[in-house]
Amino acid sequence: MRGVSLPTPIAERVLDLVARIPPGRVMAYGDVAAWFADGGPGADDSRPAEDEGADATDSATLGPRQVGRVMARYGGGVPWWRVLRSDGTHAPGLADEALRRLRAEGTPMRPGGTRVDMAKARWHGDAEARGGGMWPDSDPLGPGDD
């Protein structure tokens, strides 16, 4: 199909991680990026040469903005509302729907109910997502040494 792009391998891994965030829990865009930068599954320390350029969804360049880009392009099939800004808010165009879904899941909210209580709701992953089944052992970009 013309005009339709497929997710890159690291984008697929970002989406796999987001799909594993349990109901009632959240991750900030930076948390998702840090997951990979800290040697989580999909981490890759090799950086492309300057003249090659870097794919914005390459793990070597993955930061909060790139996670947002992955979510904007491909996140419709995963629980996108569980990935938000570090202050517990969503982008203005997404906030109402995201808050409705988060409240329905029982996500802890700050007083006033318009922001997620990140201290209570932040998900740091679990053994299964960190490497106990999320990616096959034969994956060359699989779990790093923790």
Side-chain angles (χ1 to χ4, degrees), residues 16 41 79 82:
D16 286 344
R82 296 182 191 149

Short mmCIF file of all heavy atoms in Angstrom, two decimals, residues 16 41 79 82:
data_model
loop_
_atom_site.label_atom_id
_atom_site.label_comp_id
_atom_site.label_asym_id
_atom_site.label_seq_id
_atom_site.Cartn_x
_atom_site.Cartn_y
_atom_site.Cartn_z
N ASP A 16 5.41 -3.16 21.95
CA ASP A 16 5.31 -4.37 22.77
C ASP A 16 5.38 -4.02 24.25
O ASP A 16 4.63 -4.57 25.06
CB ASP A 16 6.44 -5.34 22.44
CG ASP A 16 6.25 -6.06 21.12
OD1 ASP A 16 5.12 -6.06 20.57
OD2 ASP A 16 7.24 -6.63 20.61
N PRO A 41 15.34 -4.76 26.86
CA PRO A 41 15.23 -5.42 25.57
C PRO A 41 15.16 -4.40 24.44
O PRO A 41 14.41 -3.45 24.51
CB PRO A 41 13.92 -6.20 25.68
CG PRO A 41 13.73 -6.39 27.14
CD PRO A 41 14.31 -5.16 27.79
N PRO A 79 -2.52 0.19 24.38
CA PRO A 79 -3.15 1.12 25.33
C PRO A 79 -2.37 2.43 25.45
O PRO A 79 -1.69 2.70 26.43
CB PRO A 79 -3.17 0.33 26.64
CG PRO A 79 -2.06 -0.65 26.52
CD PRO A 79 -1.97 -1.00 25.06
N ARG A 82 -1.91 4.85 28.48
CA ARG A 82 -1.04 4.52 29.61
C ARG A 82 0.35 5.11 29.47
O ARG A 82 1.20 4.90 30.33
CB ARG A 82 -0.97 3.00 29.78
CG ARG A 82 -2.32 2.40 30.14
CD ARG A 82 -2.23 0.91 30.34
NE ARG A 82 -3.58 0.36 30.41
CZ ARG A 82 -3.90 -0.85 30.02
NH1 ARG A 82 -2.98 -1.66 29.52
NH2 ARG A 82 -5.15 -1.27 30.10
#
